[in-house]
């Protein structure tokens, strides 16, 4: 069955809305993640602490100046960058396609350029998936031992992990929404395929009569 103009319009609008939402997510993630990343001085202090701990065989407790040593802030920062890169590639593809079709035809060079941009956009899905699974394992893996109370963490660093409230909660909520959206799209896609197959079978039965 061929896709109707109405369905094409719906998919085009859905893609635009999804791209806009992803871009907003990316900006927010980079902003929050970057805010709670440790500074160069913090990293130097942690290296010094690690060196002392190794020499004295004591438990390593990261410096309190590191707002999120369990990695949640770093995850949303990297995840935001990946989302923004994907959004810019997608936008660049659309702009290139619009410019290429302004004269009513697409030359071989323009077609080659558009193909490369589309391939790059598809390839960006791979790091997006990798970052999603990385974040899922990281955030959900430490969720039940997480605390935003540094004194509690410092008193028992083997049983607790530390991160300030905002990046940890944001990363957790983001991942829940992301997985819910993926699951919903998978279910809707299966329903749409079943509906198309049923409609095709019905149309075939009518033609045979």
């Amino acid at each position: 069955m061929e896709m109707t103009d109405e369905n094409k319009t719906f998919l085009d609008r859905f893609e635009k809305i999804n791209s806009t939402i992803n871009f907003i997510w990316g900006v927010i993630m980079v902003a929050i993640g970057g805010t709670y990343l440790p500074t160069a001085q913090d990293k130097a202090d942690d290296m010094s602490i690690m060196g002392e701990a190794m020499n004295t065989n004591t438990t390593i407790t990261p410096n309190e100046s590191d707002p999120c040593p369990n990695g949640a802030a770093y995850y949303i920062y990297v995840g935001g960058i990946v989302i923004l890169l994907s959004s810019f590639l997608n936008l660049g593809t659309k702009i290139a396609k619009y410019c290429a079709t302004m004269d009513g035809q697409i030359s071989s060079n323009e077609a080659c350029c558009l193909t490369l941009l589309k391939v790059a956009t598809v390839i960006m899905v791979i790091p997006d998936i990798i970052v999603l699974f990385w974040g899922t394992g990281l955030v959900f893996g430490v969720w039940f031992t997480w605390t935003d109370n540094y004194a509690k963490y410092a008193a028992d660093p083997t049983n607790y992990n530390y991160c300030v409230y905002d990046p940890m909660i944001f990363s957790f909520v983001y991942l829940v929404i992301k997985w819910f959206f993926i699951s919903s799209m998978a279910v809707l896609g299966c329903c749409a395929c079943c509906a198309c197959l049923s409609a095709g079978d019905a149309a075939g039965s009518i033609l045979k009569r």
Side-chain angles (χ1 to χ4, degrees):
M1 294 181 64
E2 293 185 3
M3 186 177 293
T4 62
D5 291 338
E6 184 179 350
N7 289 335
K8 290 180 180 179
T9 301
F10 172 78
L11 289 175
D12 184 56
R13 289 178 179 175
F14 175 80
E15 184 184 0
K16 289 178 180 178
I17 293 173
N18 185 54
S19 297
T20 302
I21 293 174
N22 278 337
F23 179 78
I24 294 173
W25 272 120
V27 171
I28 295 174
M29 290 171 73
V30 169
I32 294 178
T35 300
Y36 293 100
L37 287 179
T39 63
Q41 183 59 47
D42 295 335
K43 292 179 180 179
D45 293 341
D46 283 343
M47 290 297 293
S48 176
I49 292 173
M50 289 176 64
E52 293 177 4
M54 290 177 66
N55 292 330
T56 58
N57 291 324
T58 56
T59 302
I60 300 173
T61 303
N63 197 326
E64 187 176 4
S65 59
D66 183 352
C68 194
N70 72 2
Y74 183 65
Y75 154 67
I76 56 177
Y77 179 74
V78 174
I81 291 175
V82 171
I83 291 174
L84 288 178
L85 287 174
S86 180
S87 298
F88 286 135
L89 269 175
N90 189 36
L91 178 62
T93 301
K94 292 184 181 300
I95 293 175
K97 185 177 181 180
Y98 174 78
C99 293
T101 56
M102 285 183 65
D103 57 357
Q105 59 182 0
I106 299 177
S107 67
S108 58
N109 290 335
E110 289 172 338
C112 181
C113 180
L114 289 174
T115 300
L116 290 175
L117 285 172
K118 289 179 180 178
V119 170
T121 302
V122 173
I123 291 176
M124 280 302 299
V125 174
I126 298 174
D128 189 27
I129 293 174
I130 293 173
V131 169
L132 174 62
F133 279 98
W134 166 46
T136 300
L138 173 69
V139 176
F140 291 167
V142 301
W143 177 254
F144 294 104
T145 58
W146 163 67
T147 179
D148 60 348
N149 185 331
Y150 183 80
K152 182 178 181 180
Y153 162 67
D156 190 8
T158 58
N159 292 318
Y160 292 100
N161 68 89
Y162 173 72
C163 183
V164 293
Y165 185 85
D166 289 346
M168 190 65 184
I169 291 298
F170 178 88
S171 60
F172 182 82
V173 172
Y174 169 77
L175 286 167
V176 170
I177 294 174
K178 186 82 170 181
W179 280 114
F180 176 78
F181 177 78
I182 291 173
S183 301
S184 300
M185 289 299 99
V187 171
L188 289 175
C190 291
C191 292
C193 289
C194 291
C196 288
L197 290 173
S198 299
D201 292 339
S205 300
I206 292 174
L207 291 173
K208 289 178 181 179
R209 293 177 182 177

